Amino acid sequence: MGTETINIGLIGAGRIGRVHAANLAHRVPGARLAAISDVNLEGARKLAHDFDAPAAVSDARAILEDPAIDAAVICSSTDTHARFIVEAAEAGKHIFCEKPIALDLKTIDTALAAVDQAGVKLQIGFNRRFDANFKAAREMVAAGEIGQPHLVRITSRDPEPPPIPYIKVSGGIFLDMTIHDFDMARYLLQSEVSEVYAAGGVMVDPAIGQAGDIDTAVITLHYENGAIGSIDNSRQAVYGYDQRVEVFGSKGGIIVGNNRPHNAVLSNAGGVQGARPLYFFLERYNDSYIAEMRAFIQSILDDTPPPVTGIDGRLPVVMGLAAWKSYRENRPVRLDEIGD
Amino acid sequence: MGTETINIGLIGAGRIGRVHAANLAHRVPGARLAAISDVNLEGARKLAHDFDAPAAVSDARAILEDPAIDAAVICSSTDTHARFIVEAAEAGKHIFCEKPIALDLKTIDTALAAVDQAGVKLQIGFNRRFDANFKAAREMVAAGEIGQPHLVRITSRDPEPPPIPYIKVSGGIFLDMTIHDFDMARYLLQSEVSEVYAAGGVMVDPAIGQAGDIDTAVITLHYENGAIGSIDNSRQAVYGYDQRVEVFGSKGGIIVGNNRPHNAVLSNAGGVQGARPLYFFLERYNDSYIAEMRAFIQSILDDTPPPVTGIDGRLPVVMGLAAWKSYRENRPVRLDEIGD
Amino acid sequence: MGTETINIGLIGAGRIGRVHAANLAHRVPGARLAAISDVNLEGARKLAHDFDAPAAVSDARAILEDPAIDAAVICSSTDTHARFIVEAAEAGKHIFCEKPIALDLKTIDTALAAVDQAGVKLQIGFNRRFDANFKAAREMVAAGEIGQPHLVRITSRDPEPPPIPYIKVSGGIFLDMTIHDFDMARYLLQSEVSEVYAAGGVMVDPAIGQAGDIDTAVITLHYENGAIGSIDNSRQAVYGYDQRVEVFGSKGGIIVGNNRPHNAVLSNAGGVQGARPLYFFLERYNDSYIAEMRAFIQSILDDTPPPVTGIDGRLPVVMGLAAWKSYRENRPVRLDEIGD
Amino acid sequence: MGTETINIGLIGAGRIGRVHAANLAHRVPGARLAAISDVNLEGARKLAHDFDAPAAVSDARAILEDPAIDAAVICSSTDTHARFIVEAAEAGKHIFCEKPIALDLKTIDTALAAVDQAGVKLQIGFNRRFDANFKAAREMVAAGEIGQPHLVRITSRDPEPPPIPYIKVSGGIFLDMTIHDFDMARYLLQSEVSEVYAAGGVMVDPAIGQAGDIDTAVITLHYENGAIGSIDNSRQAVYGYDQRVEVFGSKGGIIVGNNRPHNAVLSNAGGVQGARPLYFFLERYNDSYIAEMRAFIQSILDDTPPPVTGIDGRLPVVMGLAAWKSYRENRPVRLDEIGD
């Protein structure tokens, strides 16, 4: 039965590392949380203690060199993703890596080449694909329920902006936040985007502008199959995490709304009032983190391609770079203008 | 009490003319449907009979020259709007005119100059402003309920395309259909749009493309105050008339959904099913046609400016022309690029 | 064409009389508002003026004796309904009468006998049957969409109680308010109720209790076909008029919700807030008053039975009397216990 | 730290036993699944293996006599609940027991006396109290958001009836199914019910009637504080598990609706269609099973009273017995008519 348990080394004991550790410990059949690394050893130890992982180290290399480890789950800061992918691939480990792989294509391509070379599996953490709402929408589209898709609308607004220091190294809104929506745009339609036009501005907080970023945007997508998409983003929806999607086609349309902590509705002299959407991604996408990790483990156990590949990790970065170019030059930009 | 009744001459006995005639006959206090003209005299007579109008003529001039007539309601084909406006203004009649005033700015400006010269009132038929849903949204925005507006989203999809011959003379989707959404975009925010970017295509029916038009579009709007808007259009939503609006700002967001013929929801083994949206504009905007006419009559009785002015009729045409230029050149176009 | 216009004499120029006058004047093809009577002649004159009725009188007899009048619409106080029905029937007029016919069965039966004797049409004003929501529900039930009906739930709550003097002569909650729900219970299922059990109390206002009435109730209905129904009533829902219905059966269920003045929904830091239901019956059932009057005129023009008959007017009174007996004796009461 | 882990012996390895085992294994901090018993030893072993419980036995006594066990979770068949409660209490174990404690009051009282005598904690498995929707409703009521409660409406319909052999030993619909709704009725209002009136019938399956039970019911509740409640039940809602609740009072009302597997809504030429409610209690109340067990463990750790006491387990049985008496005698029955 040993061959049926995948020993996982988790790299990076921060917020998202903790999410994956908790899930790997108890919610993912076939997985065993074997080791945790973090440059902050204390953080690694705390996480290992909380979820009964036998080992905690400060150097990820100790995990990657351990022959008992089958797969690495990379949750460290973005600037280390590609390096760990390369090292894990060279060590023959399967890899789950949080998005984005890197903020530039050259680094991404080096990482993807190492994965190809090693023949290991690589899954990118676009968790929203595993959300029940979006999955239902995508399956309806794939089943032809709306005929030929014509329009895609994605609303994606965070409840509050990240800290300014984070924004400075994040790659900016299109590579940090819209990147999930770019993935969603591809996932829903199974057609590639060939051109983008990005409009945006600094409306939430001038400090975001001073950090070289914007906080509000509308991005038009031209799909290869002729469909048109539109994404709107804000770094601050005061009512909570706003995550909606719509696909419209020749035979109908699909609308996906927000999830709420409860559905009790209060009617009184002031109006009819319901709960706000779930606050942020940890609450909203909790189940999708479990589902993506189960899919990763299953793809290893079954030796099938992971459901979100390296190319799926690369293309949204191309779209994000194109969006930045479009925003800066105020013109539509073709994806093939984005070289490496 | 005679001074309190506004005698109306209605020009054009087609579909929208019938709507206004029915409302003027019975639903608009202070108005009296006094005469109807149509180049098709039989049509004018039929309408006059159905709603007890005392006179039916084939030449609108007979109406405009009649000193007993206080105001003209122009419901004839678009290419005659401006001419009738000029003639009505010169005859000293107040004017209600269906949108658009004309498809080119020179003609519009000539008409508006005649109105100014005559000092009569001119109200343009942007009826959606009078819809209870959109009015509630606009009032919430104006009351500061969502703080500073950041984003506007308008979904506007017809249930079926018009006949190809109509499309050929309509000015195309941006001047025929989106024009209402351009007005809505201005109405909701009370800020002007300075630049548009239009993406689109022929997805519903190739014959629409052969007629020189497109049937599906997404238009990005740059507002002067920094807000961004996005309109999506389709000539064919098989589930019915899809008319939704959203405004998002620093303190919250407002969503307006569709109206339905009834709210009975059936749950069975197949799912949970509700009624489709009301079929098309005659069903959906029935009440707004009454409200706009009441407002027109009231502005005459009170001698106050009409709620939708000539400028309100001109600017959406500028936006439509800019959208066409943007679509054809695939680049954002500033409204001040559109000369006359 | 004269034979195709039904000349209407309206008796009673109060609140509901005004509703019917307005509709008969303009919204009911084939009807002509010919005369209005009210013991308060001034009221009759005002109403006649407002809706262009040629005659206003203080004595209804003047209407009923006028050979030019085809039908009487009785909107006077409840204690006069039966008398006017008898007089109108004897005069050979068709009759539309507001509910209830009377508060006791003997009076009702006398009135119905006069109608039978005269062979005129009698329609009772259970307007909710003509509401689009309830009509859709009833049609789904009739079409077998939910299979064999098992359960009916009716929620019917007023926004505020009527004045105490009105309550004293109203017959009490079961004959004044629940009577509409009793009719709805019959309408939705097309099966008769054979037994009722009423629980209730004074929760809104002690003065209602001092007037001999209650203000809150839950009534269980046993249908002849085995189905069970439950009605809940309150004289005061602070959030507005609450009018919901549910039918559940072997193949599914139907839920009908409230109508609102607009559907704009505001999300902010406090929650997600929509409009309250339409305030009261004049707003909520506006369209149904038009539809019931159109159906009445149509049944005269077509010489078909009216859609709400004298028996339909009698049975809810039986149910109301049974409910009072049940409430007072705290036991289920069979309808056949209610004699005349 | 040993004192902070509660060692659990789980009695009964059936369907609900598996739910609790899974939760105790991984989702309840402070709990340790130490042993499982089932008369079917193989079932106990399988469950112990699946969730890493160190011991599996066929005789619950082995668990109850083990000094290392701190608490018993009783998931065996209803007829054994009271016996295990007594034995566990005598062994000084804290107790979590599935509902109902027993189908007769004498047995229940014996069990509760043993618990009192031993001074151990007893929590009854009314898991719906821990559901986020109902909890939000109860908290709003408790916070005075709707003022003084006047009406309670509970809709509780299963997607399919249980097997006939189960029905025969279940105590019938009022003790097996409505018992949860009786608890909910108490939970929402924090006022006791003093009298019930039950109407019902066999509408779903004649075999249920032949087994001495009914499958459809409407129960009226008279609360001590004057409020009135109404519960409707069906053993078969073909569209899925229908679990709704409503509380109405002097200052407003609260409505709780169903949960669905996803919120994607498809609009096409046929209508607007959403997902059916979650299928049944395992899907719908999954999170509430975790929450109730966490609360149980917490009450042990904190030495506070459990949130659902023995009295909370007894009163719904009294209500169920009263409902049966009411149904059989077709009259309202006071709870104090139900002796032991």
Side-chain angles (χ1 to χ4, degrees), chain C residues 151 153-154 157 195 197 199-200 203 220 222 226 228 230 232 234 236 238 244 246 248 250-251 255 330 332, chain D residues 151 153-154 157 195 197 200 203 220 222 226 228 230 232 234 236 238 244 246 248 250-251 255 330 332:
Chain C
L151 292 167
R153 301 213 73 153
I154 298 174
R157 302 170 191 157
E195 188 175 310
Y197 171 71
M203 305 187 204
T220 303
H222 297 255
I228 311 169
S230 177
D232 76 83
S234 170
Q236 184 177 287
V238 296
R244 288 172 287 142
E246 184 173 347
F248 171 81
S250 58
K251 291 186 181 166
I255 295 182
N330 193 27
Chain D
L151 292 167
R153 303 215 70 153
I154 298 174
R157 302 171 191 157
E195 187 176 309
Y197 171 71
M203 306 188 202
T220 303
H222 297 256
I228 311 169
S230 176
D232 75 83
S234 169
Q236 184 176 289
V238 298
R244 288 172 286 142
E246 185 174 346
F248 170 81
S250 58
K251 291 187 182 164
I255 294 184
N330 192 27

Side-chain angles (χ1 to χ4, degrees), chain A residues 149-151 153-155 157 195 197 199-201 203-204 216-218 220 222 226-234 236-239 242 244 246 248-253 255 330-332, chain B residues 149-151 153-155 157 195 197 199-201 203-204 216-218 220 222 226-234 236-239 242 244 246 248-253 255 330-332:
Chain A
H150 294 173
L151 292 168
R153 302 215 72 155
I154 298 174
T155 287
R157 301 170 191 157
E195 187 175 311
Y197 171 72
M203 307 188 202
V204 170
T216 304
V218 170
T220 303
H222 297 256
I228 311 169
S230 176
I231 297 167
D232 75 84
N233 291 137
S234 170
Q236 183 176 290
V238 297
Y239 50 82
D242 196 350
R244 288 172 287 142
E246 183 172 347
F248 171 81
S250 58
K251 292 187 181 164
I255 294 183
N330 192 28
R331 66 172 182 90
Chain B
H150 294 172
L151 293 167
R153 302 214 71 153
I154 298 174
T155 287
R157 302 170 189 156
E195 186 175 312
Y197 171 71
M203 307 187 202
V204 170
T216 305
V218 170
T220 303
H222 298 256
I228 311 169
S230 176
I231 297 167
D232 76 84
N233 290 137
S234 170
Q236 183 177 287
V238 297
Y239 49 82
D242 197 350
R244 288 173 286 143
E246 183 173 346
F248 171 81
S250 58
K251 291 187 182 164
I255 295 182
N330 193 28
R331 65 170 182 90

Side-chain angles (χ1 to χ4, degrees), chain A residues 26-83:
Chain A
H26 300 314
R27 312 292 298 276
V28 182
R32 180 172 165 270
L33 184 60
I36 294 171
S37 81
D38 198 293
V39 287
N40 168 9
L41 180 57
E42 208 44 53
R45 278 187 178 144
K46 172 92 175 63
L47 198 56
H49 171 266
D50 289 353
F51 296 106
D52 291 326
V57 297
S58 63
D59 187 351
R61 204 166 294 258
I63 283 179
L64 298 175
E65 289 173 353
D66 181 349
I69 296 289
D70 300 304
V73 168
I74 302 173
C75 308
S76 49
S77 60
T78 294
D79 61 313
T80 66
H81 287 179
R83 176 163 58 87

Side-chain angles (χ1 to χ4, degrees), chain C residues 1-139:
Chain C
M1 194 177 296
T3 59
E4 282 191 319
T5 297
I6 308 299
N7 284 298
I8 302 286
L10 186 136
I11 299 171
R15 186 164 60 169
I16 193 69
R18 173 163 288 266
V19 169
H20 289 309
N23 294 337
L24 286 163
H26 299 313
R27 314 291 300 275
V28 181
R32 181 171 164 272
L33 184 60
I36 294 173
S37 81
D38 198 291
V39 288
N40 169 9
L41 180 58
E42 206 44 53
R45 280 185 178 146
K46 171 94 174 62
L47 198 56
H49 171 266
D50 288 352
F51 297 105
D52 291 326
V57 298
S58 64
D59 187 351
R61 205 165 294 259
I63 284 179
L64 298 175
E65 289 173 354
D66 180 349
I69 296 288
D70 300 302
V73 169
I74 303 173
C75 307
S76 51
S77 61
T78 294
D79 60 312
T80 65
H81 286 179
R83 176 162 58 86
F84 286 135
I85 288 176
V86 171
E87 291 177 10
E90 287 172 358
K93 313 299 188 197
H94 298 300
I95 304 159
F96 179 97
C97 184
E98 275 302 318
K99 63 89 208 166
I101 301 174
L103 298 176
D104 69 285
L105 298 183
K106 192 164 176 182
T107 306
I108 291 173
D109 290 341
T110 303
L112 297 190
V115 169
D116 273 358
Q117 181 76 15
V120 296
K121 293 182 195 302
L122 168 65
Q123 181 173 328
I124 305 302
F126 282 125
N127 59 294
R128 295 185 196 173
R129 292 185 175 216
F130 299 86
D131 175 73
N133 294 339
F134 300 127
K135 201 150 173 266
R138 144 62 177 261
E139 283 166 7

Side-chain angles (χ1 to χ4, degrees), chain D residues 82-159:
Chain D
R83 176 162 58 88
F84 286 135
I85 288 175
V86 171
E87 291 178 9
E90 288 172 357
K93 312 300 187 197
H94 298 300
I95 304 159
F96 178 98
C97 183
E98 276 301 319
K99 63 91 213 169
I101 300 174
L103 298 176
D104 68 286
L105 297 183
K106 191 165 177 183
T107 305
I108 290 173
D109 290 341
T110 303
L112 297 190
V115 169
D116 273 358
Q117 181 76 15
V120 295
K121 292 180 194 309
L122 169 65
Q123 182 174 326
I124 304 301
F126 282 124
N127 58 293
R128 293 184 196 173
R129 293 184 176 216
F130 299 86
D131 175 72
N133 294 340
F134 301 127
K135 202 152 173 266
R138 143 65 177 258
E139 283 166 6
M140 288 175 190
V141 173
E145 299 268 17
I146 61 158
Q148 184 67 24
H150 294 172
L151 292 167
V152 174
R153 303 215 70 153
I154 298 174
T155 287
S156 177
R157 302 171 191 157
D158 288 351

